[in-house]
Amino acid sequence: MLSFWFDSLKGRLSLVTSLMLVAFLLVFSGVLEHAYRSSLDEAKERELQLHVYTLLAVAEPEAGTLSFPPLLPEQRFNQPDSGLVGAVTDDRGRVIWRSASSLALPQLPSHPLPQGRQAFGQVTLPGDAGRYVSFRQGVAWGLDNEQRFTFIVMEDAAPLAAQVEQFRSTLWRWLGLGALLLVLIQWLVLRWGLAPLRSVTRGLQEMQRGGSDRLEGKFPGELRPLTDNLNLLIENERRQREKTRHTLADLAHSLKTPLAVLKGLNFSGDPREAYKTLIDQVQRMDSIIGYQLNRAVTGSPKSILRGVPVAPLVQKILDALEKVYRENPCNVQLKCDQQTRFYGDEGDLMELLGNLLDNGYKYGGGEMDVAIEGRNDGRKLHIRVADRGPGMDEEKWQQVTQRGVRADQQQPGQGIGLAVVVDIVESYEGQISAVPRPGGGTEIKVDL
């Protein structure tokens, strides 16, 4: 049971919201009960004060004291045990008059009050008399206000307490029903709100059973980055498996011919020619292995976690190329915002840019324009490398992107740089193109 509350997201939300609901109901009910009790006390105070005014209206001074008629206007004063009690005390606290309804009561409260002072509250009488709501008011009588009395009106507090108890039971009954309704609504809202997460869970379970290769469905915006990245992770893993399998197959196939040539070498006939053939085939095998290793490690389309800053990486490559081609410098115009990010493997980007910029230094005629910018939602990258070299048409571009083909045989290299670039672009489901520039040179565009 505890594992449901603490290990389940729905359980945690239900527990927190339920505790907040209970706390709110407790505070809300306490506030309502206090307000109701206060309104009852105010109403009772006004009622008892009116009874005091009634007693003041019928009181008559008589030899230093007060006299009252046998029958008072309020009939409850005339009825024993009616619950409404009236009394008057002098300035020494002695009871000088009490209503017929108080004859069964023991001692009454006799604390005198100064003129004009009022006191309201609950008192407990000795014995089994119980609790009463009391209102006392100090008055002065006579021409010089020389006679001071305290008028007391008390009423049984049991009906007032019963009213409060009835209100409390009614309040909690309705609050309880409201709480059950809120819990039901909360459960429905949580079930509806967490439905996309359940869809993700079912999708992952379906993938584990082999029923699907990706998470399908319409997910809310808050979950879309999660589902998209999960699909990218799954796609990357599948692509990597296929790439490894294909690379091994290609490597085995590519090495067959050089190995067959090596097997057929005849050093006894023409050792010099055989040695030259041996060197050529070993270099070819080294080129093949290097190319296939590059293919194996070029990698994952689109990074799942964070973007790679592009500007520092480009500057690092250009700084290295300036040192390599110190004797054949190139004027590079770079346009790349510092906020531009590449959402992929840093090694892939370095391999791609390194090959493109290296070719620009080799064949660019000493001038090169490089522009890199993010597109759309920021997760796409556009790269443009333009030079002033000899230029390439479509046919020549198709040739130089093949493995082992070089545009200039006089330049050192193995002819696999652009082939690696094309492989990287294809692994990211991007596009690459090269067109001749009107004034001479080539412009290569890459969209990742």
Side-chain angles (χ1 to χ4, degrees), residues 265-278:
L265 289 179
N266 185 6
F267 284 91
S268 60
D270 188 351
R272 185 181 298 274
E273 182 65 25
Y275 179 76
K276 181 177 181 301
T277 303
L278 173 64

Side-chain angles (χ1 to χ4, degrees), residues 132-309:
Y132 279 77
V133 182
S134 170
F135 181 84
R136 296 182 298 142
Q137 183 168 348
V139 299
W141 217 281
L143 296 178
D144 298 328
N145 295 330
E146 68 278 4
Q147 297 178 345
R148 299 183 183 277
F149 304 97
T150 300
F151 280 69
I152 304 172
V153 176
M154 298 189 307
E155 188 175 9
D156 190 2
L160 188 65
Q163 280 184 278
V164 174
E165 185 62 31
Q166 182 180 5
F167 174 80
R168 183 186 294 118
S169 62
T170 304
L171 175 65
W172 276 107
R173 181 166 59 251
W174 286 105
L175 285 179
L177 291 175
L180 290 177
L181 180 61
L182 287 176
V183 168
L184 177 61
I185 294 175
Q186 166 191 296
W187 184 82
L188 293 175
V189 169
L190 287 177
R191 181 174 179 82
W192 174 74
L194 297 177
L197 289 179
R198 291 196 299 273
S199 298
V200 173
T201 302
R202 286 195 298 268
L204 291 175
Q205 293 173 348
E206 184 69 18
M207 291 172 57
Q208 290 175 350
R209 291 192 293 265
S212 176
D213 291 335
R214 58 186 290 111
L215 293 174
E216 301 289 350
K218 187 176 181 181
F219 300 101
E222 293 81 1
L223 287 181
R224 198 168 297 123
L226 171 65
T227 55
D228 290 347
N229 284 332
L230 283 175
N231 283 330
L232 283 175
L233 179 63
I234 295 165
E235 181 68 15
N236 290 349
E237 194 272 339
R238 184 185 64 80
R239 285 176 176 272
Q240 195 61 42
R241 287 202 316 268
E242 291 182 357
K243 179 178 289 186
T244 302
R245 184 170 63 251
H246 293 164
T247 300
L248 291 175
D250 291 347
L251 180 61
H253 179 75
S254 300
L255 291 177
K256 284 183 179 180
T257 301
L259 288 174
V261 173
L262 291 178
K263 288 180 180 179
L265 289 179
N266 185 6
F267 284 91
S268 60
D270 188 351
R272 185 181 298 274
E273 182 65 25
Y275 179 76
K276 181 177 181 301
T277 303
L278 173 64
I279 296 300
D280 290 341
Q281 295 304 315
V282 169
Q283 289 178 348
R284 183 180 178 187
M285 292 172 65
D286 182 68
S287 174
I288 291 172
I289 293 173
Y291 168 72
Q292 295 295 347
L293 287 177
N294 279 330
R295 286 189 61 193
V297 299
T298 55
S300 52
K302 296 185 181 179
S303 173
I304 295 173
L305 298 179
R306 60 184 179 86
V308 178

Side-chain angles (χ1 to χ4, degrees), residues 47-61 65-78 84-89 96-102 108 135-137 139 141 149-155:
E47 179 185 346
L48 297 182
Q49 188 177 29
L50 289 176
H51 290 314
V52 168
Y53 292 158
T54 300
L55 295 179
L56 283 171
V58 300
E60 294 292 341
T65 184
L66 295 177
S67 64
F68 293 84
L71 295 177
L72 299 175
E74 174 57 54
Q75 294 299 319
R76 294 175 63 193
F77 283 127
N78 306 319
L84 182 63
V85 176
V88 179
T89 63
I96 60 174
W97 175 86
R98 63 193 318 186
S99 63
S101 57
S102 66
L108 298 176
F135 181 84
R136 296 182 298 142
Q137 183 168 348
V139 299
W141 217 281
F149 304 97
T150 300
F151 280 69
I152 304 172
V153 176
M154 298 189 307
E155 188 175 9

Side-chain angles (χ1 to χ4, degrees), residues 4 11 19 30 47 110 132 139 264 273 308 317 368 399 419 423 428:
F4 169 77
L19 291 176
E47 179 185 346
S110 57
Y132 279 77
V139 299
E273 182 65 25
V308 178
I317 295 173
M368 184 166 49
Q399 291 177 356
D423 284 344
Y428 282 83

Side-chain angles (χ1 to χ4, degrees), residues 338-411:
Q338 294 293 328
Q339 303 301 321
T340 303
R341 294 287 189 275
F342 170 64
Y343 291 89
D345 184 73
E346 182 177 355
D348 289 347
L349 182 61
M350 181 173 287
E351 184 74 21
L352 186 148
L353 291 175
N355 282 304
L356 292 179
L357 298 178
D358 182 68
N359 284 340
Y361 268 85
K362 287 180 180 178
Y363 314 115
E367 291 187 16
M368 184 166 49
D369 294 331
V370 180
I372 304 176
E373 59 182 351
R375 293 288 181 84
N376 298 338
D377 60 353
R379 296 186 71 88
K380 293 185 178 181
L381 195 69
H382 176 72
I383 302 172
R384 186 180 68 87
V385 179
D387 59 42
R388 291 295 180 183
M392 289 186 294
D393 55 17
E394 181 67 22
E395 181 180 356
K396 191 171 184 180
W397 170 253
Q398 295 297 331
Q399 291 177 356
V400 298
T401 54
Q402 296 178 9
R403 182 180 59 196
V405 178
R406 289 184 286 144
D408 185 358
Q409 299 295 331
Q410 303 300 319
Q411 296 286 350

